[in-house]
Amino acid sequence: MVEARIRVIYGDTDQMGVVYHANYFRYFEFARGEYFRARGGSYRDVEREGLMLPVVEASIAYKSPARYDDVLLVHVRVSELKRASLTFHYDVRREGAPETLLCTGQTVHACVGRDGRPTRLPPVLVALLQMAV
């Protein structure tokens, strides 16, 4: 598991002063990038190999709202690794005592080549991701 820290900016909130629901997907994306970096790789490295990991499914269960200037802790881990796809799981919490669970979610990613066709996850990427499965 990797923890990414994000401070909510004013532009992330809606008229009610809470984080707009779709922004959590941006936080997930940020955490995925941190996940790769924490394991010695990057998404850019994946693209250099001619591969992409598009999101093919995404879900969130909201528990409590985040607000402007909150510091969010996004915990991300790989929960499933298949031949040509992987699933990330996320817990988003408000930093503080006690930490408050704000939402949980997951994204499923297909491994595709530059032509957009599904392809096997390369061994180097599997090894990087298996460190946490």
Side-chain angles (χ1 to χ4, degrees):
M1 179 184 67
V2 169
E3 179 180 275
R5 296 178 84 241
I6 300 170
R7 184 175 299 274
V8 175
I9 63 171
Y10 188 78
D12 285 348
T13 63
D14 61 18
Q15 230 174 4
M16 295 180 291
V18 300
V19 170
Y20 179 67
H21 69 279
N23 283 325
Y24 287 94
F25 288 112
R26 290 180 42 246
Y27 303 155
F28 291 178
E29 182 175 3
F30 175 77
R32 283 194 307 273
E34 294 300 301
Y35 181 92
F36 278 99
R37 279 187 278 288
R39 291 188 160 38
S42 74
Y43 187 72
R44 186 177 304 222
D45 295 338
V46 174
E47 289 180 331
R48 282 188 192 120
E49 295 298 318
L51 302 173
M52 294 172 281
L53 299 172
V55 175
V56 296
E57 184 180 321
S59 64
I60 296 179
Y62 300 99
K63 310 291 184 189
S64 186
R67 300 182 184 282
Y68 169 68
D69 212 35
D70 283 349
V71 174
L72 307 182
L73 306 175
V74 184
H75 299 137
V76 58
R77 63 183 169 82
V78 172
S79 60
E80 188 172 30
L81 191 57
K82 295 183 177 178
R83 286 177 48 177
S85 68
L86 64 142
T87 301
F88 286 98
H89 178 81
Y90 312 87
D91 289 330
V92 180
R93 298 175 183 276
R94 181 182 303 109
E95 184 178 63
E99 289 182 4
T100 303
L101 180 63
L102 304 177
C103 72
T104 60
Q106 73 173 26
T107 54
V108 179
H109 302 257
C111 183
V112 299
R114 287 193 176 110
D115 60 1
R117 299 175 68 97
T119 187
R120 276 195 122 139
L121 290 163
V124 66
L125 183 57
V126 170
L128 182 95
L129 296 169
Q130 282 182 332
M131 294 170 60
V133 173

